[in-house]
Amino acid sequence: MAAEDELQLPRLPELFETGKQLLDEVEVATEPAGSRIVQEKVFKGLDLLEKAAEMLSQLDLFSRNEDLEEIASTDLKYLLVPAFQGALTMKQVSPSKRLDHLQRAREHFMNYLTQCHCYHVAEFELPKTKNNSAENHTANSSMAYPSLVAMASQRQAKIKRYKQKKELEHRLSAMKSAVESGQADDERVREYYHLHLQRWIDISLEEIESIDQEIKILRERDSSREVSLAKESYCQRFEYFTGDQIKILLSLHKITVFIKMSIERPKGH
């Protein structure tokens, strides 16, 4: 019975290919992102890719002690699993859970980029981790405007990534038919999946940049909401006081502050 159950379980290639297909369908869907049919595909795709990730971990298919050349050509595509997880996580629609989805997607993209960085798939700089990003946000919160040099540098990096992504997509399109039909030799298959890895590096870098901006906006919105609620609560305390009563309370507060300052003032001043 156990043997029959094992035979019925989906294999890694099936999990990967079906998950990838669902992601492709979601990305070209004409229905609204929040529609039932799209969200069902998102949920199913995430479930399949999660199982694929667990299977990869159990099989110990990849090791950071090995080089990219040591990975079989047909196994290179499985390095894409966390990138696909991040892409599908970004497709989830639930306003109340948006921040959680963004953080989870960022984690998936970072896992993918870290993996590619360790294998030297391409030359790129890893984005800062979540903790470092938070520290930088605190340190730079007083800066109203980013430097013009930084803005120009970021713009050039975006243009470079865009051109590189378009070139990669063109090369992938030309190779797709031969690889998927099984007519390509091992060298071409390897090149094909290597190009896919490079393309998703560019996509992941763009997504993390977008995620960080959205997280910042959401947190600032929540912070403003908390301030607004605090003000509302403060005003409600005085809702049933007359004007004269409020003046008396404010005067008492000033007297209390004056007395406290007089007590705490060092002798001789």
Side-chain angles (χ1 to χ4, degrees):
M1 185 68 179
E4 290 180 5
D5 290 341
E6 288 181 7
L7 289 173
Q8 291 174 1
L9 290 174
R11 297 182 304 112
L12 181 58
E14 295 168 359
L15 291 170
F16 177 84
E17 292 300 337
T18 308
K20 179 181 180 300
Q21 181 183 345
L22 288 167
L23 172 60
D24 291 341
E25 290 177 6
V26 168
E27 288 186 333
V28 299
T30 55
E31 299 88 357
S35 66
R36 181 179 175 181
I37 186 170
V38 171
Q39 287 303 300
E40 283 180 349
K41 288 181 179 180
V42 169
F43 180 80
K44 184 178 179 181
L46 284 171
D47 181 57
L48 292 173
L49 291 171
E50 179 63 29
K51 290 176 180 176
E54 291 174 0
M55 195 171 291
L56 285 170
S57 178
Q58 292 170 2
L59 293 171
D60 200 18
L61 198 60
F62 305 120
S63 170
R64 297 194 177 178
N65 297 322
E66 64 182 358
D67 296 326
L68 190 67
E69 291 74 21
E70 298 178 63
I71 301 175
S73 299
T74 52
D75 289 341
L76 283 175
K77 61 185 177 183
Y78 298 127
L79 289 169
L80 291 163
V81 168
F84 291 171
Q85 287 178 290
L88 276 173
T89 301
M90 288 293 288
K91 300 294 184 182
Q92 289 181 296
V93 177
S94 177
S96 62
K97 297 180 179 179
R98 182 59 178 172
L99 186 57
D100 290 338
H101 292 160
L102 289 171
Q103 291 171 332
R104 196 173 302 120
R106 191 186 199 281
E107 186 178 338
H108 286 311
F109 286 126
M110 277 301 298
N111 287 342
Y112 173 70
L113 291 173
T114 302
Q115 195 172 234
C116 289
H117 198 264
C118 289
Y119 279 117
H120 306 289
V121 173
E123 289 294 326
F124 67 95
E125 185 177 344
L126 275 174
K128 291 179 174 59
T129 60
K130 197 181 300 182
N131 290 337
N132 287 340
S133 295
E135 289 172 6
N136 287 342
H137 172 68
T138 303
N140 297 329
S141 59
S142 60
M143 296 176 62
Y145 302 99
S147 70
L148 293 176
V149 175
M151 289 174 65
S153 177
Q154 289 174 359
R155 184 172 180 274
Q156 288 301 317
K158 284 182 179 180
I159 293 172
K160 183 179 179 181
R161 283 205 303 265
Y162 176 79
K163 289 181 177 179
Q164 182 174 317
K165 190 170 71 171
K166 287 299 177 184
E167 181 185 347
L168 289 171
E169 288 173 352
H170 177 73
R171 292 172 65 186
L172 284 166
S173 178
M175 299 171 67
K176 182 178 180 180
S177 178
V179 172
E180 293 187 352
S181 64
Q183 297 176 354
D185 58 21
D186 184 74
E187 185 178 348
R188 295 284 284 175
V189 170
R190 189 169 196 83
E191 181 185 2
Y192 179 74
Y193 289 125
H194 194 189
L195 291 174
H196 264 299
L197 294 174
Q198 290 177 314
R199 175 176 177 266
W200 275 94
I201 286 174
D202 290 335
I203 292 173
S204 298
L205 289 170
E206 289 177 0
E207 289 291 355
I208 285 180
E209 187 176 330
S210 175
I211 286 169
D212 287 345
Q213 291 173 354
E214 189 173 348
I215 286 176
K216 181 181 177 183
I217 292 170
L218 289 176
R219 284 177 173 165
E220 287 176 351
R221 184 198 65 185
D222 291 342
S223 178
S224 299
R225 186 178 297 166
E226 288 176 5
V227 171
S228 177
L229 289 172
K231 286 182 179 179
E232 184 180 341
S233 176
Y234 182 80
C235 291
Q236 285 176 348
R237 295 180 187 179
F238 298 98
E239 185 177 358
Y240 300 106
F241 286 91
T242 64
D244 290 337
Q245 287 173 326
I246 291 175
K247 287 179 182 178
I248 293 171
L249 287 170
L250 291 173
S251 298
L252 289 172
H253 176 69
K254 290 179 181 178
I255 293 170
T256 303
V257 172
F258 176 77
I259 294 172
K260 185 178 180 182
M261 290 175 65
S262 299
I263 295 173
E264 294 176 349
R265 185 179 300 164
K267 293 182 179 180
H269 285 72

